[in-house]
């Protein structure tokens, strides 16, 4: 386990350099409305993505964004390019997003092919969630990726989750873990605090039970929390995992608990003064939970069984985060059970893959005698988790 900590340390150092919205993979959204020979397109993308198109990383102007998107978006009909029926324009969008409108006039309504080449040359793993609406009300969803930078309208009919199979839902769950850096950070934190295999079994079991429950509640519509609140709380769980390690290593859980709970109380006070996004009651409840969690875990010699309960609570939060991918899609009610089971299986495969890969690397490194004292590794990596978790939490709470 010493070497495992060393590996975690290196990965956490990389995570610290990533943006605050690391939960969200590089993605954009497009809504294509087909009206005979006219195609309307609304293209939405986050500010974090559009900043990639400028050399200095600043937010581009409306004209610069249109200049980037116009040659990369389009429609063809029977292999003939459709012309713009009106100048593209920027529309009002939610905070943190940009939205552009395009309208194309095609020579024919047959053989329509939708084209999207935006951002793929900047991020090879970029994904566009395309929604296609026909005049008769037929609706389809498809993914546009670097390997397939366009859609044939004939093949898009009845697409999306409506025609997806069980393996597709498993794939979505696996990809959510592999592309969700904050979920990976939390999972690595669980590995870091687990000194024995039994401890790891307890924390992973609790996490699995928690996220399975809230994933089901969110997807079935029983509970629909605010996405921005969940993103912030996911970051808070990463910070708390690191803070627990710091408190145990330093032997000063009281001090760590006071600082953590006190900081959250200060944020609650700021929110009452109109500063911030998270509700005051949520921040006060988080402060009470965080302080008690650090105090309890810091005074128990064997906190493995207690962590099962605590990580179950953390899993409840992450489960809502897991649901984000599915809630962005039009879920067919007749497939909800299949979606839930498949997505959960995919999430578990992703989690186990990370843990097993780390374990294999630990065994390999141990054989070549590359090691560091565990206290040093824990201190450095825990500090990294606290840093990245705090950065994400503050960014998502005040953005």
């Amino acid at each position: 386990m010493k070497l495992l900590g060393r590996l975690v340390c290196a990965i956490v150092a990389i995570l610290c350099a990533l943006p605050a919205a690391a939960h969200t993979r590089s993605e954009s959204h497009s809504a294509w409305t087909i009206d005979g020979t006219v195609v309307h397109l609304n293209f939405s993308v986050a500010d974090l993505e559009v900043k990639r198109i400028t050399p200095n990383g600043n937010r581009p102007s409306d004209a610069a964004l249109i200049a980037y998107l116009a040659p990369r978006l389009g429609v063809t009909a029977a292999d003939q390019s459709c012309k713009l029926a009106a100048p593209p324009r920027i529309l009002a969008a939610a905070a943190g997003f940009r939205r552009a409108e395009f309208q194309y006039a095609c020579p024919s309504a047959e053989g329509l092919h939708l084209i999207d080449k935006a951002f793929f040359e900047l991020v090879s793993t970029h994904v566009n969630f395309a929604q296609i609406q026909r005049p008769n009300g037929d609706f389809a969803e498809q993914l546009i990726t670097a390997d397939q930078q366009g859609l044939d309208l004939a093949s898009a009919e009845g697409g999306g989750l409506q025609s997806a199979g069980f393996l597709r839902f498993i794939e979505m769950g696996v990809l959510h873990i592999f592309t969700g850096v904050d979920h990976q950070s939390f999972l690595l934190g669980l590995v870091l605090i687990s000194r024995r295999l039994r401890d790891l079994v307890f924390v992973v079991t609790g996490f699995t039970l928690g996220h399975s429950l809230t994933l089901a509640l969110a997807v079935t519509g029983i509970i629909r929390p605010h996405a921005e609140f969940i993103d912030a709380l996911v970051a808070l769980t990463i910070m708390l995992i690191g803070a627990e390690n710091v408190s145990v290593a330093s032997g000063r859980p009281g001090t760590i608990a006071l600082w953590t709970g006190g900081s959250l109380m200060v944020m609650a006070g700021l929110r009452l003064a109109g500063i911030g996004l998270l509700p005051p009651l949520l921040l006060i409840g988080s402060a009470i939970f965080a302080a008690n969690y650090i105090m309890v875990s810091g005074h128990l010699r064997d906190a493995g069984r207690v962590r099962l309960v605590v990580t179950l609570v953390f899993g409840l939060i992450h489960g809502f985060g897991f649901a984000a991918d599915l809630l962005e899609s039009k879920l067919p009610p007749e497939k909800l059970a299949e979606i839930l089971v498949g997505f959960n299986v995919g999430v578990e495969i992703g989690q186990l893959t990370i843990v097993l890969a780390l374990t294999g690397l630990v065994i390999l490194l141990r054989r070549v005698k590359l090691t560091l004292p565990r206290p040093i590794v824990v201190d450095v990596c825990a500090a990294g988790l606290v840093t990245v978790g705090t950065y994400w939490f503050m960014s998502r709470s005040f953005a």
Side-chain angles (χ1 to χ4, degrees), residues 24-42:
T24 304
R25 60 188 170 196
S26 179
E27 65 183 44
S28 54
H29 297 259
S30 58
W32 309 76
T33 302
I34 314 301
D35 187 6
T37 59
V38 177
V39 178
H40 299 266
L41 166 62
N42 273 331

Side-chain angles (χ1 to χ4, degrees), residues 118-133:
F119 299 101
F120 294 112
E121 81 280 11
L122 303 175
V123 184
S124 61
T125 56
H126 183 80
V127 174
N128 178 269
F129 294 86
Q131 298 179 339
I132 305 163
Q133 182 77 46

Side-chain angles (χ1 to χ4, degrees), residues 8-87:
V8 172
C9 179
I11 296 175
V12 168
I14 297 173
L15 297 178
C16 291
L18 296 175
H23 166 66
T24 304
R25 60 188 170 196
S26 179
E27 65 183 44
S28 54
H29 297 259
S30 58
W32 309 76
T33 302
I34 314 301
D35 187 6
T37 59
V38 177
V39 178
H40 299 266
L41 166 62
N42 273 331
F43 189 93
S44 300
V45 63
D47 279 336
L48 288 171
E49 297 299 323
V50 298
K51 290 179 180 179
R52 299 180 190 273
I53 70 176
T54 58
N56 54 10
N58 292 334
R59 190 174 188 265
S61 64
D62 290 351
L65 179 57
I66 291 294
Y68 172 80
L69 292 176
R72 293 171 174 82
L73 302 174
V75 185
T76 62
D79 296 328
Q80 298 183 42
S81 297
C82 301
K83 297 181 180 180
L84 284 169

Side-chain angles (χ1 to χ4, degrees), residues 3 40 126 146 154 173 256 276 365 389:
L3 293 172
H40 299 266
H126 183 80
I256 304 299
L365 292 174

Side-chain angles (χ1 to χ4, degrees), residues 24-332:
T24 304
R25 60 188 170 196
S26 179
E27 65 183 44
S28 54
H29 297 259
S30 58
W32 309 76
T33 302
I34 314 301
D35 187 6
T37 59
V38 177
V39 178
H40 299 266
L41 166 62
N42 273 331
F43 189 93
S44 300
V45 63
D47 279 336
L48 288 171
E49 297 299 323
V50 298
K51 290 179 180 179
R52 299 180 190 273
I53 70 176
T54 58
N56 54 10
N58 292 334
R59 190 174 188 265
S61 64
D62 290 351
L65 179 57
I66 291 294
Y68 172 80
L69 292 176
R72 293 171 174 82
L73 302 174
V75 185
T76 62
D79 296 328
Q80 298 183 42
S81 297
C82 301
K83 297 181 180 180
L84 284 169
R89 59 175 182 155
I90 298 296
L91 303 179
F97 287 83
R98 305 288 290 278
R99 187 160 64 104
E101 181 185 58
F102 297 81
Q103 182 173 322
Y104 302 93
C106 298
S108 169
E110 302 298 326
L112 291 177
H113 181 77
L114 313 179
I115 300 171
D116 174 14
K117 299 182 179 181
F119 299 101
F120 294 112
E121 81 280 11
L122 303 175
V123 184
S124 61
T125 56
H126 183 80
V127 174
N128 178 269
F129 294 86
Q131 298 179 339
I132 305 163
Q133 182 77 46
R134 291 178 175 273
N136 60 4
D138 288 346
F139 178 90
E141 289 189 334
Q142 291 285 343
L143 295 181
I144 300 177
T145 65
D147 296 330
Q148 184 181 357
Q149 299 180 17
L151 293 173
D152 286 318
L153 207 58
S155 62
E157 280 193 64
L161 296 183
Q162 286 80 1
S163 61
F166 186 69
L167 292 179
R168 171 62 183 139
F169 306 139
I170 293 178
E171 178 188 359
M172 290 179 66
V174 173
L175 287 176
H176 193 96
I177 290 295
F178 287 165
T179 59
V181 180
D182 48 4
H183 293 309
Q184 293 179 30
S185 301
F186 181 78
L187 184 60
L188 293 173
L190 295 184
V191 175
L192 182 64
I193 65 175
S194 303
R195 293 174 176 267
R196 298 166 297 183
L197 178 61
R198 185 182 68 176
D199 295 338
L200 186 58
V201 171
F202 280 138
V203 296
V204 172
T205 299
F207 186 64
T208 298
L209 292 174
H211 76 64
S212 297
L213 176 60
T214 47
L215 175 61
L217 292 175
V219 170
T220 55
I222 297 176
I223 298 177
R224 288 292 175 89
H226 290 281
E228 63 271 23
F229 299 168
I230 295 302
D231 279 347
L233 290 178
V234 166
L236 180 62
T237 64
I238 298 169
M239 182 187 72
L240 290 179
I241 286 291
E244 178 190 355
N245 279 282
V246 172
S247 69
V248 172
S250 65
R252 304 176 64 182
T255 302
I256 304 299
L258 180 62
W259 275 100
T260 304
S263 299
L264 290 169
M265 284 294 188
V266 169
M267 289 181 64
L270 291 174
R271 184 64 184 91
L272 290 172
I275 302 174
L277 296 176
L278 301 183
L281 288 179
L282 179 61
L283 288 167
I284 293 172
S286 298
I288 296 172
F289 171 80
N292 282 280
Y293 164 55
I294 294 173
M295 286 293 292
V296 171
S297 61
H299 284 95
L300 289 180
R301 291 186 176 180
D302 187 358
R305 297 179 187 275
V306 174
R307 288 197 183 105
L308 186 149
V309 178
V310 173
T311 53
L312 186 147
V313 176
F314 289 165
L316 295 176
I317 297 171
H318 282 251
F320 288 124
F322 291 152
D325 269 1
L326 296 179
L327 294 179
E328 288 172 346
S329 305
K330 186 176 181 181
L331 301 178

